[in-house]
Amino acid sequence: MKKFLIFFFLMTLTAFAKPQVTTSILPTKYFIDQIAGDTIDVNVMVQKGADAHTYEPKPKQMSELEKSKLYFAIGIEFEDVWLKKFTQNYPNLVVVNTQEGIEKIPMAAHNHASHEHGEHEHDADHEKHEHADHKHDADHEKHEHCEHEHDADHEKHEHADHKHEHGEHACNCDHHDHEHKFSTLDPHIWLDPVLVKVQATNIANALIATFPENKDLYTQNLKTFLTKLDALDAFIADSFKDKKDKKFIVHHPSWGYFAKRYGLTQLAIEVAGKEPKPAMLAKLIDKLKDEKIKVVLVAPNFSQKAAKEVAKQSGASIYEIDQLPYDWEKVMREMSQILAKSFAN
């Protein structure tokens, strides 16, 4: 009788267990949670404080991954190696590329003491072009691993042809063949609210295709989240509206899409993923002094030694901003306010 009760209890837990999905980074978990609510559990590979560029999954995470129906990718370096391994080891795992439909920009490979990129102007038609109420018609979206279609409303974006690609071929899980290489394209798309709208639509379409019983909920939650993203975009754009000399220093050039969207110039301390040599660092410090740049940004998962030296020698203030936060909207607002206060009127 006792064994029967234990068996019955375990079967009951299994029957009521939430389905699970996995993603690479915490911001994507935040996006998934906005759409899925409490209908699924989300497993995250790169936890707080880890380096998303060079991360290697832990055995426990691989075990959790086995339970996942979907993997929401974003296009960061560690995925180049590990997604192939994931799909070989777990052939039923469907990989959803949340970056699908987004045109990536080059990663800043030089610090701007010797090579400076031009400032990108914020489009005056932004409100008309990006904030308009779009109707989301997902009839054209067919999930590669599903036999049914779904018709959730989704964002029609200038970049969008939102089709999900799924991981295919792979190799054995060898933890020793992962080598960090400096990416030529910037993977940090989650730091631009407008691009996040594309990601959110891709996420919603995949969730609806996989869990069609929750279609109405996911469709409504997507609509709500897109409205929040429009409000955030407008808030950030307004923060920089009357500002001049909109330049800032970062250690790792994570904020390229943010800078492009809002007409800012990002200057990076590191060069092609490496610490700058003393001569280059001296030139950068001189540039900060000459142009009166007041802010140096650091991230918790990168070395802060060079950044602290730059701030000390130039008289700039140093701020730590996590570019991989779960409380994503809060950090985006904080980032815009820190920079806005440092720019001249």
Side-chain angles (χ1 to χ4, degrees), residues 204-264:
N205 288 334
L207 289 173
I208 291 169
T210 307
F211 310 110
E213 65 275 15
N214 297 320
K215 173 185 169 183
D216 290 345
L217 174 66
Y218 296 161
T219 301
Q220 182 56 49
N221 286 351
L222 173 62
K223 183 178 179 180
T224 300
F225 187 40
L226 294 176
T227 299
K228 287 177 64 176
L229 291 171
D230 281 339
L232 175 62
D233 176 40
F235 172 83
I236 297 173
D238 188 64
S239 298
F240 303 131
K241 184 173 59 177
D242 299 319
K243 301 296 182 178
K244 301 176 182 178
D245 302 323
K246 295 178 285 188
K247 297 180 181 180
F248 63 99
I249 297 284
V250 293
H251 180 271
H252 179 70
S254 305
W255 296 88
Y257 293 99
F258 184 92
K260 180 181 179 182
R261 178 65 58 189
Y262 301 109
L264 317 180

Side-chain angles (χ1 to χ4, degrees), residues 72-92:
F72 290 97
I74 198 168
I76 53 181
E77 286 96 324
F78 98 87
E79 293 175 352
D80 293 341
V81 173
W82 285 96
L83 284 184
K84 294 179 181 179
K85 299 177 180 181
F86 294 162
T87 53
Q88 181 187 25
N89 284 270
Y90 311 116
N92 293 326

Side-chain angles (χ1 to χ4, degrees), residues 159-319:
H159 299 298
D161 178 15
H162 309 307
K163 295 179 182 177
H164 304 304
E165 294 181 359
H166 307 295
E168 296 184 40
H169 309 291
C171 55
N172 292 327
C173 278
D174 178 359
H175 287 247
H176 301 289
D177 66 352
H178 178 68
E179 179 180 346
H180 175 49
K181 296 180 180 179
F182 188 81
S183 177
T184 55
L185 292 178
D186 190 343
H188 304 90
I189 57 173
W190 63 91
L191 297 175
D192 176 348
V194 176
L195 298 184
V196 172
K197 292 169 70 176
V198 180
Q199 287 188 267
T201 300
N202 290 337
I203 290 168
N205 288 334
L207 289 173
I208 291 169
T210 307
F211 310 110
E213 65 275 15
N214 297 320
K215 173 185 169 183
D216 290 345
L217 174 66
Y218 296 161
T219 301
Q220 182 56 49
N221 286 351
L222 173 62
K223 183 178 179 180
T224 300
F225 187 40
L226 294 176
T227 299
K228 287 177 64 176
L229 291 171
D230 281 339
L232 175 62
D233 176 40
F235 172 83
I236 297 173
D238 188 64
S239 298
F240 303 131
K241 184 173 59 177
D242 299 319
K243 301 296 182 178
K244 301 176 182 178
D245 302 323
K246 295 178 285 188
K247 297 180 181 180
F248 63 99
I249 297 284
V250 293
H251 180 271
H252 179 70
S254 305
W255 296 88
Y257 293 99
F258 184 92
K260 180 181 179 182
R261 178 65 58 189
Y262 301 109
L264 317 180
T265 299
Q266 170 187 244
L267 289 78
I269 293 174
E270 69 174 33
V271 181
K274 300 178 181 178
E275 292 291 313
K277 294 180 179 180
M280 187 65 71
L281 196 62
K283 290 181 180 179
L284 184 62
I285 292 169
D286 288 342
K287 185 175 184 64
L288 262 73
K289 291 178 178 178
D290 291 344
E291 300 194 16
K292 296 180 173 59
I293 298 173
K294 300 176 182 179
V295 167
V296 176
L297 301 177
V298 295
N301 54 324
F302 287 93
S303 170
Q304 299 183 6
K305 182 178 179 181
K308 288 180 178 179
E309 183 64 21
V310 167
K312 179 181 178 182
Q313 295 296 328
S314 66
S317 298
I318 190 164
Y319 292 92

Side-chain angles (χ1 to χ4, degrees), residues 3 18 58 63 72 84 97 108 113 125 142 150 154 156-157 175 178 183 206 226 231 251 271 292 296 311 322 328 339:
K3 289 183 178 179
K18 294 179 185 178
K58 296 176 174 59
S63 177
F72 290 97
K84 294 179 181 179
N97 292 316
D125 291 329
K142 290 188 179 178
H150 53 276
H154 75 282
K156 287 183 179 178
H157 190 273
H175 287 247
H178 178 68
S183 177
L226 294 176
H251 180 271
V271 181
K292 296 180 173 59
V296 176
D322 186 1
W328 175 83
L339 293 181

